[in-house]
Amino acid sequence: MWRGNSDVETYCALRLFIDSWRWDGVPWYLRSGKYLPDTATEILVELKAPPQKLFADAAADKDHANYLRFRLSPNAAIALAARVKLAGQEFIGQQRELYLLEEQAGEETPYERLLGDAMQGDGSLFTREDAVEAAWAVVDRVLKRHPRVRPYKRGTWGPKQADALIAASGKWHNPSETV
C-alpha cells in the first residue's frame, strides 16, 4: 500500500491458476496499484525456452524470453518479441520486439466511448449485473480476510514482497521497459 493520509490498500499482486486442463500448472501473475510509475493495462504471455539452444550466446541472455504482449490501454497494441540471429557467420542472437500500434485520427478515448454509449442507452460495453455480483463475491472475501498491508514508496512498482511472489517464474514486466 502507498501511505499518504490513507490506510486503504492500493496495491495488489496475485499468483492465480486457472482450473482447466489447458492451463493446468500455468501460473498467472496479476499486479495492480495506485501511484505506480506507469498507467497501463497489459497482458504478457512469456513463452518457455526451447529445449535446444539455437544461439551460441543463449545461456548469457536467459533473462529475455520470447513473448507476446497485448496492450489494452492507454492505447491498444500487440507486440511479439523473439531472439533473432544477428548478421554474420556466428550464431549469436539478440532479443527484438515487433510492435504493432494502430491509431486512428479522431478516435474517441475509452471513457468518451463509454460515456457516449451510456447516454445512448447502449449497454454492450457494460458488465452484466450477474457478472458484477460474481466478481464482488470474490473481492468481498479478500477484503474481509487478506494478508497484512505492506507499505511501498509512491512512484515505484510496489513492495519488494511482490518480487518474491514471481521470483520462481521470472520477474515482473514493467510497461515502460523496452527490449
Side-chain angles (χ1 to χ4, degrees):
M1 97 179 214
W2 172 79
R3 282 193 191 256
N5 294 327
S6 173
D7 64 351
V8 176
E9 300 85 355
T10 61
Y11 180 89
C12 182
L14 304 168
R15 178 179 51 227
L16 304 171
F17 292 90
I18 296 175
D19 188 10
S20 160
W21 64 268
R22 185 178 306 272
W23 296 104
D24 186 40
V26 176
W28 290 71
Y29 295 95
L30 307 174
R31 175 174 65 166
S32 180
K34 197 173 187 179
Y35 300 118
L36 300 179
D38 289 320
T39 299
T41 302
E42 287 191 348
I43 300 164
L44 183 77
V45 179
E46 193 170 287
L47 305 174
K48 289 183 178 180
Q52 182 179 3
K53 303 294 182 200
L54 299 175
F55 298 99
D57 64 338
D61 195 22
K62 59 184 177 187
D63 289 339
H64 291 100
N66 295 342
Y67 63 82
L68 291 168
R69 182 164 55 102
F70 304 92
R71 177 168 274 205
L72 306 177
S73 72
N75 43 18
I78 297 174
L80 168 66
R83 191 166 177 82
V84 297
K85 183 186 176 306
L86 295 175
Q89 294 292 323
E90 295 182 71
F91 240 70
I92 296 176
Q94 182 181 41
Q95 185 82 358
R96 302 298 294 266
E97 183 181 75
L98 176 63
Y99 186 78
L100 175 64
L101 169 67
E102 183 177 12
E103 291 182 324
Q104 296 180 4
E107 190 174 29
E108 294 177 308
T109 67
Y111 286 120
E112 289 172 333
R113 167 92 190 273
L114 195 62
L115 289 173
D117 286 355
M119 291 188 309
Q120 294 172 7
D122 180 357
S124 60
L125 293 178
F126 294 86
T127 306
R128 289 187 352 215
E129 184 178 350
D130 60 336
V132 172
E133 292 295 331
W136 271 110
V138 172
V139 171
D140 195 41
R141 281 184 271 175
V142 173
L143 291 174
K144 289 178 180 170
R145 289 186 50 221
H146 56 80
R148 185 174 66 82
V149 173
R150 311 242 187 227
Y152 68 96
K153 188 175 177 184
R154 186 180 191 155
T156 67
W157 286 107
K160 293 295 178 201
Q161 291 84 352
D163 294 337
L165 175 71
I166 197 172
S169 298
K171 63 179 187 169
W172 293 106
H173 165 73
N174 297 330
S176 57
E177 290 179 1
T178 57
V179 177

